[in-house]
Amino acid sequence: MPKNPLTRRQFIHIGTGALAATTVAGNILQPHLLSAAPRPVPPSDTVRFASIGTGIRGCELLQASTRVPGVECVALCDLYDSRHTAAQEAVNNPNVPATRDYRSILDRKDVDTVLIATMDHQHRHIFEDACAAGKDVYCEKPMSHTVEDGFAMMEAAHKNNRMVAVGSQRVSSILYAKAKEIYDSGKLGEVFSINAYWDRNSPSGAWVYPIPPDASTQTIDWNTFIGSAPKHDFDPVRFFRWRCFTDYGEGLGGDLFVHLLSGIHFITSTNQPAQRAQSSGGIFHFNDGREFPDLIETLYDYPNFRVTLRCNLNNNGGEFIGFYGTKGTLIIKDNTLTYKPENTRPEPEGYSVFGWPKALRDQYLEKWHEDHPEPPALGWKIDEEVETYTVPKGYSDTVDHQANFYNAVRTRKPVVENEVFGNHTAIGCHLANYSYFNKCIAVWDGSAKKIVKG
């Protein structure tokens, strides 16, 4: 016998390491066929849409729409004239009519549905008008600018029997579908802790966008942009960097938290707001007149688990969600998903018993091994393997998300991220901001449909 024989713990560790070489690594997920129909869509099933808001995200949605069979862009709208041209370029059609007045689009009989990609404070009134006009609605995230707006939008959708999708595309991602499959299988065991972050480190990532040289009161409908927000003299910074200001957006909560929360809600089959939230953060680097923090961290209480979120505009950590279960860990990092099992096989206590007399320790170990006989030689195996998945090159969950919406318009079967799901996620953003600005715990009062101080 060697002088220092391997302990059972060490033996298992070595065996596990050797067997882990058979890890399921680098699986490339296969895209769904929604955005690549096997046969042409008949003209009678063509969905004709208009885009209201054709800025950064609006043009991304337009470009994605060109990859979805059976849809046609028939009208464009934005308050900044040069975005009309940008939108026409996005759909490769200079003849698509463009306007500043979204109401003229809603009056058109050939518009089946609208994409709303405006500043957040304009979502509600456009959404309500679109529903009243009989249009189905794809509304960019976050769905609402305030808690009250969200419930009013839900009511409008239900009253007019409209199909609605909210634009946080992670819920349509094939990567997140695989994560949900693993989560639902029980392979993680009980999950009580979820941690997520999305960190960026660039002026663009902090919404410090350049101001176009032609921006002026002649090319921008400033009064309509202000709308119901407090009156303010023309300021192109507020127009193009609106996410920095509380009058028009929700900052990091509405821009990035909403993606993380939507993904977490989808994977865990959660369709309710968090019960409580507590935020900390501040403006540390981008002291440029913005009102929202460039760093925010929030702890959320849900009935069965806790969630910690962070967005930091001062370090490029990328996008991350981690689910930490009693039987395994599930990590989504950017475009890669990894599942790693926990070693939950029984082992004798190897720490505290060394504070016992040797006779008692030997007695305990002997009894333990009697109760846990060793398996036959070569009988060791790993119950689960490490699994890694990624998406194929060129894959776009935005395309799949739009395809899901247009399919819902045709079938009248609601999407996952409908107005109820979207509202619950937006409430999470409002909770985070309420806690940050009021320096308190934010509590969701579901019966009163409002946030209160904890």
Side-chain angles (χ1 to χ4, degrees):
M1 292 289 292
K3 183 176 180 180
N4 296 307
L6 289 174
T7 66
R8 184 172 184 273
R9 183 189 295 271
Q10 290 170 325
F11 173 75
I12 292 174
H13 176 73
I14 291 175
T16 300
L19 289 172
T22 62
T23 292
V24 180
N27 286 296
I28 298 178
L29 298 168
Q30 295 301 310
H32 302 305
L33 294 177
L34 279 174
S35 56
R39 55 184 177 275
V41 176
S44 59
D45 286 342
T46 298
V47 176
R48 294 172 176 82
F49 74 93
S51 182
I52 302 173
T54 62
I56 304 167
R57 186 59 179 165
C59 282
E60 287 179 341
L61 295 176
L62 288 171
Q63 290 169 341
S65 73
T66 64
R67 296 170 57 182
V68 180
V71 301
E72 179 185 358
C73 180
V74 296
L76 301 163
C77 176
D78 200 274
L79 300 179
Y80 171 40
D81 294 344
S82 291
R83 285 180 178 164
H84 298 169
T85 303
Q88 291 167 335
E89 292 172 350
V91 293
N92 298 312
N93 186 350
N95 298 317
V96 179
T99 179
R100 290 181 175 184
D101 180 14
Y102 78 88
R103 292 179 180 84
S104 66
I105 285 177
L106 299 183
D107 290 338
R108 291 179 51 162
K109 302 301 182 184
D110 63 338
V111 174
D112 303 311
T113 182
V114 296
L115 310 182
I116 300 176
T118 63
M119 297 76 175
D120 300 343
H121 75 298
Q122 297 177 341
H123 283 185
R124 175 180 173 175
H125 70 89
I126 298 174
F127 186 104
E128 290 177 325
D129 289 348
C131 289
K135 314 301 183 186
D136 295 321
V137 179
Y138 180 110
C139 183
E140 257 306 304
K141 56 77 187 169
M143 187 174 109
S144 62
H145 184 51
T146 67
V147 169
E148 294 77 15
D149 285 357
F151 284 99
M153 293 163 76
M154 282 178 52
E155 182 180 351
H158 297 164
K159 176 182 177 181
N160 295 281
N161 195 28
R162 293 296 91 204
M163 303 306 298
V164 173
V166 179
S168 185
Q169 64 273 15
R170 299 297 181 272
V171 304
S172 294
S173 166
I174 56 175
L175 194 70
Y176 281 64
K178 173 55 70 172
K180 180 171 177 57
E181 177 187 315
I182 293 172
Y183 188 97
D184 289 346
S185 74
K187 290 164 67 172
L188 295 178
E190 295 179 289
V191 177
F192 305 120
S193 176
I194 301 171
N195 173 248
Y197 62 79
W198 197 337
D199 296 343
R200 306 192 294 209
N201 190 13
S202 69
S204 180
W207 320 305
V208 186
Y209 303 135
I211 306 301
D214 69 340
S216 70
T217 53
Q218 284 71 48
T219 59
I220 295 172
D221 186 345
W222 177 253
N223 290 332
T224 300
F225 161 71
I226 292 295
S228 60
K231 299 303 178 185
H232 199 285
D233 292 339
F234 176 73
D235 182 354
V237 168
R238 296 178 79 88
F239 185 86
F240 291 100
R241 303 174 187 173
W242 57 267
R243 285 186 178 88
C244 297
F245 303 98
T246 57
D247 287 344
Y248 324 116
E250 286 80 56
L252 285 169
D255 194 31
L256 300 182
F257 268 23
V258 66
H259 282 305
L260 301 173
L261 288 173
S262 295
I264 291 168
H265 286 188
F266 171 68
I267 292 168
T268 62
S269 298
T270 297
N271 199 358
Q272 65 181 79
Q275 297 168 315
R276 307 189 331 155
Q278 186 169 5
S279 296
S280 178
I283 302 173
F284 295 98
H285 179 68
F286 289 96
N287 293 291
D288 53 6
R290 70 181 58 214
E291 295 161 349
F292 283 108
D294 58 18
L295 166 66
I296 185 170
E297 299 175 291
T298 302
L299 171 63
Y300 290 97
D301 289 0
Y302 286 85
N304 299 316
F305 51 78
R306 301 294 178 263
V307 174
T308 57
L309 297 190
R310 181 190 77 226
C311 284
N312 181 14
L313 297 181
N314 308 299
N315 180 271
N316 190 22
E319 183 180 0
F320 173 98
I321 304 180
F323 300 83
Y324 302 93
T326 56
K327 294 182 180 179
T329 302
L330 179 66
I331 299 294
I332 300 174
K333 182 66 174 73
D334 299 323
N335 291 319
T336 300
L337 181 157
T338 303
Y339 163 76
K340 181 180 179 182
E342 292 276 299
N343 181 3
T344 58
R345 287 185 293 274
E347 297 182 20
E349 171 62 26
Y351 181 69
S352 66
V353 294
F354 284 94
W356 298 5
K358 183 176 184 303
L360 291 180
R361 182 168 66 248
D362 291 346
Q363 180 182 341
Y364 161 76
L365 291 172
E366 181 178 356
K367 180 65 168 60
W368 193 94
H369 285 293
E370 287 178 2
D371 295 339
H372 303 83
E374 299 282 356
L378 302 179
W380 293 105
K381 68 176 183 178
I382 295 180
D383 294 332
E384 304 284 355
E385 296 175 327
V386 175
E387 302 173 28
T388 302
Y389 302 90
T390 189
V391 299
K393 184 177 180 180
Y395 172 74
S396 169
D397 51 11
T398 296
V399 175
D400 269 354
H401 201 48
Q402 281 203 279
N404 282 333
F405 169 62
Y406 291 122
N407 188 55
V409 170
R410 293 190 185 97
T411 65
R412 312 313 291 175
K413 295 179 181 179
V415 297
V416 171
E417 195 175 9
N418 62 9
E419 66 280 0
V420 176
F421 186 108
N423 186 45
H424 287 161
T425 307
I427 290 170
C429 305
H430 302 321
L431 282 165
N433 285 332
Y434 184 99
S435 175
Y436 172 79
F437 285 109
N438 291 281
K439 296 181 171 60
C440 69
I441 295 174
V443 177
W444 175 242
D445 185 341
S447 59
K449 298 180 180 178
K450 66 179 183 179
I451 300 172
V452 298
K453 288 186 177 182

